[in-house]
């Protein structure tokens, strides 16, 4: 299959009837349409030549767990509605806590996405900073604006979560970054907080990125945590992508200081390879989540409520899927050592690719390669900035359209570059070599058209 779906907007929809079926159809007809209409409309995220966004692996073992979860037809609305759902979730969250080197002060739950985890953290931070204003007039009656701090490198879901949690765009501070690494400057953070305090604002939350989406920037969690703790500001660590790397002891320095944070989220559904959707959310004080989000309607009560965890009180939705099963299958059938071996293979492939780019004239590695994503640009002499942008977008688009490989162009300080994110389960060194050959050939062809 081509890596990127070779369809135009509307192609899939136009092949489907506008009206719903009036009578049951045969499974054969359905499967034929699945093959002929749906599959061509998929961008092949599991293709070894997919280097876009971040890897979102669908390991077979976790797919089996997902199928089991659907097939068992469970309903997770309380411990009583499916005791195994709650207790397997407790166990697998704790397994992953241990596998990523976190201390036993953390307790976890599974959300659909890191976006939801961040929103949950920011709602609790809001309530903590406002002395639980929701029990009075809510944010509308608060005299001091609550402030959230992050950087321009943070994922778009962070700003979205802060806006949805009611902070308001004008109360989200994009703290200055180190000019080289684009990591949050702790000095700028401290200054910004002092400034807000002097102006009668209430600092409420800091969101540190460990592995930003654009360039894998790593905010200095230890330094940020010192500031957060000094001012009693909630610190949420968004390690959506880099959390997988924490299975490797040699990568854990990247989130040094994480033990001092208040919440952490990361996605096994990215690089680690538990099929979407599976985002872990850890807190030290679940009682704060419960204080803000608990509901206790009579129809959900049971005689064991005082003895069990009710995950509905730890987050936003009531009903939950048995997501823990896919982690349980994944960890048991593949085993952590095989997962670690694959992650290390990808890190080595990223280093190999980096060396090829560095040693080739007119090619540049633009940012430090902290994990498995490499930011590159072809910079032949004689092109001004606008022409360079045109050239960058031309060669990456030519590759993406060909279906031979897929990468995500992205902007760095307003100028286009290309992210090569290595880490699909099926990607081996031979594929990375093929990509590098393809990139050089395509960029050279595009250049001759441009000049
Ligand atoms: C650093 C970071 N944070 C958050 C997210 C949002 O993840 P999700 O799709 O699970 O909401 C992403 C997605 O790529 C990410 O890279």
């Amino acid at each position: 299959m081509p890596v990127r779906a070779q369809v135009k907007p509307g192609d899939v929809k136009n092949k489907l009837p506008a009206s719903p079926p009036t009578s049951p159809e045969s499974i054969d007809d359905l499967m034929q349409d699945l093959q002929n209409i749906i599959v061509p409309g998929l961008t092949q995220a599991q293709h070894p030549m997919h280097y876009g966004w971040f890897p979102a692996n669908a390991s077979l073992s976790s797919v089996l767990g997902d199928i089991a979860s659907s097939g068992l037809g469970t309903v997770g609305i309380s411990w009583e509605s499916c005791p195994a759902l709650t207790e397997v979730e407790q166990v697998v969250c704790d397994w992953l806590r241990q596998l990523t080197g976190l201390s036993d002060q953390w307790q976890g739950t599974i959300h659909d996405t890191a976006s939801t985890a961040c929103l949950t953290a920011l709602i609790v931070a809001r309530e903590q900073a406002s002395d639980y204003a929701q029990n009075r007039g809510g944010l509308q009656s608060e005299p001091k604006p609550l402030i959230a701090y992050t950087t321009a490198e943070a994922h778009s879901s962070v700003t979205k979560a802060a806006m949805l949690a009611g902070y308001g765009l004008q109360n989200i501070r994009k703290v200055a970054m180190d000019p080289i690494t684009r990591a949050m400057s702790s000095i700028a953070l401290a200054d910004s907080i002092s400034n807000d305090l002097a102006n009668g604002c209430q600092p409420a939350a800091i969101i540190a990125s460990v592995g930003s989406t654009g360039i894998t920037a790593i905010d200095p969690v230890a330094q940020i945590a010192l500031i957060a703790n000094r001012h009693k500001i909630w610190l949420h660590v968004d390690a959506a992508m880099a959390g997988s790397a924490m299975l490797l002891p040699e990568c854990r320095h990247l989130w040094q200081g994480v033990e001092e944070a208040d919440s952490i989220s990361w996605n096994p559904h990215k690089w680690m390879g538990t099929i979407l959707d599976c985002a872990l959310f850890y807190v030290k004080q679940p009682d704060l989540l419960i204080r803000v989000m608990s509901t206790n309607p009579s129809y959900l009560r049971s005689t064991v409520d005082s003895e069990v965890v009710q995950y509905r009180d730890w987050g936003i939705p009531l009903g939950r899927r048995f997501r823990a099963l896919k982690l349980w299958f994944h960890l048991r059938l593949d085993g952590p050592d095989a997962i670690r071996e694959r992650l290390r293979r990808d890190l080595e492939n990223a280093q190999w690719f980096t060396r090829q780019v560095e040693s080739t004239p007119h090619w540049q590695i633009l940012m430090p390669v902290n994990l498995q994503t490499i930011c590159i640009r072809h910079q032949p002499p004689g092109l001004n900035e606008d022409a360079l942008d045109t050239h960058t977008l031309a060669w990456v688009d030519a590759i993406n359209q060909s279906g031979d490989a897929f990468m995500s162009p992205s902007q760095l300080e307003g100028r286009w570059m290309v992210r090569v994110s290595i880490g699909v389960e099926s990607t081996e060194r031979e594929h990375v070599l093929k990509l590098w050959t393809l990139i050089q050939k395509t960029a050279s062809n595009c250049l001759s058209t441009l000049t």
Side-chain angles (χ1 to χ4, degrees):
M1 302 294 300
V3 188
R4 190 171 83 175
Q6 306 281 299
V7 294
K8 292 187 288 310
D11 277 358
V12 175
K13 195 172 159 209
N14 291 338
K15 289 191 180 132
L16 301 174
S19 318
T22 47
S23 52
E25 297 180 44
S26 75
I27 183 81
D28 290 344
D29 286 352
L30 186 87
M31 292 308 285
Q32 213 171 1
D33 284 354
L34 186 74
Q35 197 57 39
N36 297 336
I37 303 175
I38 308 300
V39 172
L42 309 180
T43 288
Q44 300 290 331
Q46 311 306 325
H47 195 296
M49 295 298 282
H50 190 290
Y51 301 92
W53 306 300
F54 275 144
N57 286 311
S59 64
L60 176 59
S61 52
S62 68
V63 171
L64 294 176
D66 209 33
I67 293 171
S69 155
S70 296
L72 291 170
T74 56
V75 178
I77 53 177
S78 65
W79 178 89
E80 187 184 36
S81 76
C82 186
L85 183 153
T86 302
E87 296 188 12
V88 177
E89 186 160 331
Q90 287 178 287
V91 168
V92 292
C93 287
D94 201 61
W95 284 358
L96 277 154
R97 173 192 69 72
Q98 295 172 49
L99 288 169
T100 51
L102 293 173
S103 76
D104 62 8
Q105 64 175 339
W106 296 96
Q107 294 183 54
T109 184
I110 307 176
H111 282 301
D112 53 356
T113 59
S115 304
T116 308
C118 186
L119 174 60
T120 307
L122 287 178
I123 290 172
V124 178
R126 178 192 79 195
E127 290 310 305
Q128 194 188 41
S130 65
D131 194 22
Y132 301 89
Q134 68 178 9
N135 296 327
R136 304 184 299 275
L139 274 193
Q140 297 189 67
S141 66
E142 285 307 287
K144 291 182 174 184
L146 302 187
I147 312 291
Y149 303 83
T150 190
T151 71
E153 266 302 317
H155 188 262
S156 56
S157 59
V158 172
T159 298
K160 180 171 172 177
M163 288 171 74
L164 292 176
Y167 289 75
L169 194 55
Q170 68 189 34
N171 300 314
I172 303 170
R173 303 279 179 265
K174 297 284 167 77
V175 177
M177 301 173 286
D178 177 287
I180 296 173
T181 62
R182 294 178 70 80
M184 185 186 283
S185 153
S186 53
I187 297 172
L189 173 67
D191 286 351
S192 185
I193 292 171
S194 303
N195 201 29
D196 284 326
L197 286 170
N199 288 319
C201 300
Q202 176 70 56
I206 305 170
I207 305 94
S209 305
V210 173
S212 71
T213 316
I215 57 143
T216 329
I218 309 279
D219 289 343
V221 177
Q223 293 167 33
I224 294 170
L226 280 177
I227 299 168
N229 289 344
R230 191 181 313 140
H231 294 282
K232 297 199 172 16
I233 304 172
W234 187 280
L235 173 57
H236 176 67
V237 173
D238 174 14
M241 167 63 194
S244 301
M246 303 311 162
L247 271 85
L248 307 177
E250 66 269 28
C251 289
R252 289 187 196 146
H253 64 97
L254 294 174
W255 71 1
Q256 197 196 340
V258 73
E259 287 291 329
E260 304 308 315
D262 296 286
S263 55
I264 308 168
S265 61
W266 72 274
N267 290 350
H269 74 220
K270 284 192 161 59
W271 191 19
M272 186 177 117
T274 310
I275 187 171
L276 259 162
D277 50 359
C278 188
L280 292 170
F281 181 56
Y282 288 96
V283 289
K284 291 183 201 161
Q285 292 179 276
D287 51 307
L288 296 182
L289 300 179
I290 295 166
R291 180 164 179 190
V292 174
M293 279 175 278
S294 156
T295 54
N296 192 20
S298 53
Y299 43 81
L300 290 178
R301 287 184 207 153
S302 77
T303 50
V304 295
D305 284 352
S306 60
E307 300 163 50
V308 296
V309 164
Q310 302 288 15
Y311 276 128
R312 68 170 184 270
D313 295 341
W314 290 37
I316 298 163
L318 167 62
R320 58 200 301 110
R321 301 184 64 227
F322 201 159
R323 291 195 187 92
L325 271 188
K326 50 189 167 187
L327 273 172
W328 194 61
F329 271 59
H330 190 186
L331 291 173
R332 290 191 60 186
L333 293 178
D334 286 8
D337 281 347
I339 298 172
R340 288 191 174 112
E341 204 174 306
R342 178 168 56 75
L343 300 178
R344 289 195 176 108
R345 173 203 65 179
D346 298 339
L347 290 172
E348 278 168 24
N349 280 341
Q351 288 305 320
W352 180 86
F353 183 84
T354 304
R355 288 195 297 277
Q356 308 314 303
V357 178
E358 274 171 347
S359 59
T360 308
H362 311 313
W363 282 91
Q364 278 217 331
I365 299 285
L366 300 169
M367 296 304 299
V369 181
N370 289 319
L371 287 174
Q372 42 55 265
T373 300
I374 307 114
C375 300
I376 63 170
R377 202 182 277 142
H378 183 220
Q379 305 203 147
L383 297 186
N384 66 24
E385 287 196 322
D386 287 344
L388 199 54
D389 271 352
T390 308
H391 175 55
T392 303
L393 290 176
W395 69 255
V396 71
D397 199 42
I399 292 176
N400 289 348
Q401 283 201 31
S402 74
D404 292 337
F406 183 81
M407 289 160 285
S408 315
S410 171
Q411 284 190 325
L412 177 62
E413 291 176 332
R415 290 291 161 190
W416 287 100
M417 54 136 185
V418 177
R419 295 167 68 264
V420 178
S421 195
I422 295 172
V424 172
E425 198 176 10
S426 56
T427 302
E428 299 288 349
R429 176 68 57 81
E430 65 188 277
H431 302 107
V432 184
L433 167 61
K434 201 166 139 192
L435 177 74
W436 178 227
T437 310
L438 178 67
I439 288 176
Q440 290 176 95
K441 188 165 150 250
T442 313
S444 154
N445 289 347
C446 287
L447 189 63
S448 52
T449 327
L450 191 72
T451 48

